[in-house]
Amino acid sequence: MSEMEKDEKIERAFERYTGGGDLPQVDLSAAKAALTEARTEERRRAEKRRKVWTLAVSAAACLLFAVALAFLLLPFGAPDLEAPSGSDHPPAGESPSAPEHFSLLSATAESAGYSELESRCGSAVLPFRRFSAAQNASAQYTVYRAGGEDVLLSAELGYWNGMTKLKATVYVDLSAGKYLAEELEDYADLPMSRDGYRYEAEYIGGEYVSRALLTRGETYYVSMISHNADALGLLVKLLTE
Amino acid sequence: MPPEELEQLNRLIAALKRGDGSALDGILLLAGRRMFALARGIVRNTADAEDVVQECFLKIARAAGSFREGTNGYAWIMRIARNTALDFLRRNKRTATEDIDACFRLTDDRYSAERREEALALEEALSKLTEGERRLIYLRYYLDLTVREIAGETGMSKSAAARELKKAEEALKGELRMGQKGE
């Protein structure tokens, strides 16, 4: 079925309706700075991908060379080795498929309460139970959908630690790796910490901007900004213990 | 959005994707009013709506790299604006639901006298539609969704969405004609 045309008369009426007021007062300098930052980050990632690709191609070329050399040398007196049975190489075509990417910005997002999430997301939501139940904590949840299914849960958490209120965002993958938000893609590049999860903290403008990627049954992407260098570690403990 | 403006907007987003920051000024001129109208409809406050639009431009700048060229840039921008406005409500502990009727009550003194008359006539005609019809008109003409996307949003089949949308359009045109006769 071809896409249905819009009704011209209604379209014109809406043009004039939504375009009728003044332009909003918007300062674009922050957006322009963000664009430059995003471009720099993009170039950094492209460079990294190029390096990984070059390494992979070099490794493949070496392997091919070794195989070719073995074929050439075997007829000239190589010992008659039987191929071991029960090889542990996966059969062709069984490599894990790459996740399908989507953007948090343009995905359908629905807010939901904790009790609804218990039935909707199963065990993925359990680590947040204490945040929803506690008097001194808050949690707001959003479920992102892609391809007609729930693929990502986001929890905006707020809780008191001593005299400081800590705020964090935790994303939980609900798609078992089938979908990946573009915004979370670079978490996989974070360095592995001694605690067994990927973690990075940067000290920016007097605050620690920390991110972590951990798998505890589900995959969790954690990000927070705090004056406390240990805040993210504390949160991970709360989520996993 | 008229086709020539949509083409221009798509070119600006493509330029933004290449790192041209001045494209943001053009996007603001072409889509800013509509983003603001949508944000104002959702957050129901002019100052908050300006904050939402400001935040939208940050997101647009950051996400330009993921924009798929050849797709509808206006719908992309409006979806960002819609999600940002709903996020704003969530952050401020207000119910994060769209009040479509509030999106159809935009007319105020920002409109020129002539436009205000037209805008009020459209609002009056929309108020006579059923809630379901208004929702379809909102998704199609406010957010610029395709019929397939509307089907996805409403849970209808694509053919049912097309049929219901056609009915809503006819009802709206009928009400607009009635309004003109009554003047």
Side-chain angles (χ1 to χ4, degrees):
Chain A
M1 188 192 290
S2 65
E3 184 57 41
M4 185 177 148
E5 291 292 319
K6 278 184 169 177
D7 183 281
E8 267 182 46
K9 193 179 170 190
I10 300 177
E11 175 76 335
R12 268 200 309 275
F14 266 87
E15 278 308 311
R16 294 177 68 78
Y17 182 60
T18 52
D22 294 336
L23 261 185
Q25 297 296 312
V26 177
D27 175 10
L28 293 175
S29 54
K32 287 176 184 173
L35 178 70
T36 313
E37 245 175 64
R39 292 279 297 169
T40 312
E41 178 65 15
E42 222 170 85
R43 271 197 292 268
R44 192 185 64 79
R45 275 195 219 165
E47 178 63 17
K48 194 173 173 185
R49 272 198 295 270
R50 193 187 60 77
K51 278 183 188 164
V52 170
W53 181 242
T54 311
L55 264 174
V57 169
S58 316
C62 286
L63 189 69
L64 268 176
F65 179 73
V67 170
L69 200 64
F71 268 105
L72 281 174
L73 294 179
L74 271 175
F76 302 103
D80 187 15
L81 295 175
E82 248 181 68
S85 60
S87 162
D88 60 358
H89 291 293
E94 278 196 11
S95 62
S97 56
E100 197 170 315
H101 286 76
F102 72 102
S103 164
L104 293 179
L105 288 173
S106 50
T108 305
E110 295 168 5
S111 48
Y114 182 80
S115 46
E116 180 196 338
L117 290 173
E118 275 187 315
S119 53
R120 194 165 164 181
C121 309
S123 61
V125 75
L126 283 177
F128 305 119
R129 189 206 301 257
R130 66 171 75 200
F131 293 94
S132 288
Q135 293 291 320
N136 63 346
S138 61
Q140 284 191 297
Y141 305 100
T142 306
V143 178
Y144 291 90
R145 295 176 62 78
E149 55 186 299
D150 294 346
V151 294
L152 190 74
L153 167 68
S154 120
E156 299 281 343
L157 306 175
Y159 57 100
W160 287 92
N161 178 39
M163 297 294 284
T164 323
K165 184 163 190 186
L166 299 176
K167 285 182 183 175
T169 307
V170 182
Y171 292 95
V172 191
D173 176 27
L174 302 176
S175 72
K178 196 170 144 199
Y179 286 91
L180 175 63
E182 286 160 1
E183 290 84 347
L184 303 176
E185 200 180 358
D186 63 343
Y187 276 67
D189 300 333
L190 299 180
M192 188 59 87
S193 75
R194 276 178 303 179
D195 300 309
Y197 56 84
R198 295 191 178 278
Y199 168 76
E200 187 178 64
E202 286 178 276
Y203 193 63
I204 302 171
E207 290 182 304
Y208 292 93
V209 180
S210 343
R211 297 188 303 157
L213 168 64
L214 57 147
T215 306
R216 298 288 185 272
E218 319 291 339
T219 303
Y220 297 89
Y221 301 84
V222 187
S223 91
M224 76 187 303
I225 299 174
S226 166
H227 294 288
N228 181 349
D230 305 323
L232 190 129
L234 269 170
L235 174 63
V236 168
K237 234 176 169 181
L238 283 173
L239 289 170
T240 54
E241 68 187 12
Chain B
M1 174 167 275
E4 64 280 12
E5 280 188 22
L6 178 59
E7 204 177 301
Q8 203 182 340
L9 184 68
N10 281 340
R11 272 202 302 269
L12 285 166
I13 300 174
L16 191 64
K17 198 173 171 174
R18 292 191 300 272
D20 177 2
S22 66
L24 286 164
D25 298 293
I27 294 172
L28 175 63
L29 279 174
L30 276 176
R33 285 186 180 85
R34 296 178 183 94
M35 291 162 74
F36 183 55
L38 175 71
R40 201 151 61 101
I42 295 176
V43 301
R44 284 160 249 171
N45 172 308
T46 302
D48 289 348
E50 280 187 340
D51 288 347
V52 166
V53 176
Q54 178 94 35
E55 198 181 331
C56 277
F57 273 94
L58 262 179
K59 291 184 175 177
I60 288 168
R62 286 184 185 137
S66 69
F67 175 70
R68 277 185 295 151
E69 286 181 48
T71 58
N72 182 342
Y74 177 62
W76 182 72
I77 284 176
M78 292 305 272
R79 189 164 283 208
I80 290 176
R82 183 194 196 189
N83 284 348
T84 308
L86 290 171
D87 279 346
F88 180 91
L89 291 182
R90 271 182 218 116
R91 276 203 307 272
N92 290 280
K93 301 201 184 312
R94 285 155 65 185
T95 317
T97 50
E98 272 164 311
D99 177 357
I100 290 170
D101 290 343
C103 294
F104 291 140
R105 281 196 297 268
L106 296 177
T107 313
D108 62 10
D109 51 12
R110 287 166 168 257
Y111 285 70
S112 64
E114 183 206 353
R115 285 211 170 180
R116 187 173 346 185
E117 203 175 303
E118 284 175 31
L120 285 171
L122 180 64
E123 287 180 0
E124 173 72 13
L126 283 161
S127 72
K128 304 258 173 66
L129 304 188
T130 65
E131 202 183 323
E133 287 170 339
R134 271 200 299 280
R135 181 169 167 75
L136 291 171
I137 296 286
Y138 167 76
L139 294 172
R140 182 65 165 151
Y141 291 93
Y142 225 105
L143 298 183
D144 215 30
L145 298 191
T146 61
V147 173
R148 187 177 59 81
E149 288 167 330
I150 293 174
E153 278 262 341
T154 55
M156 291 185 213
S157 66
K158 192 179 167 188
S159 57
R163 194 174 55 241
E164 293 302 314
L165 178 64
K166 193 86 198 146
K167 266 166 52 185
E169 286 173 346
E170 290 308 321
L172 179 60
K173 281 196 289 186
E175 291 299 339
L176 284 170
R177 275 196 297 272
M178 293 279 281
Q180 278 167 353
K181 275 183 198 162
E183 277 168 11

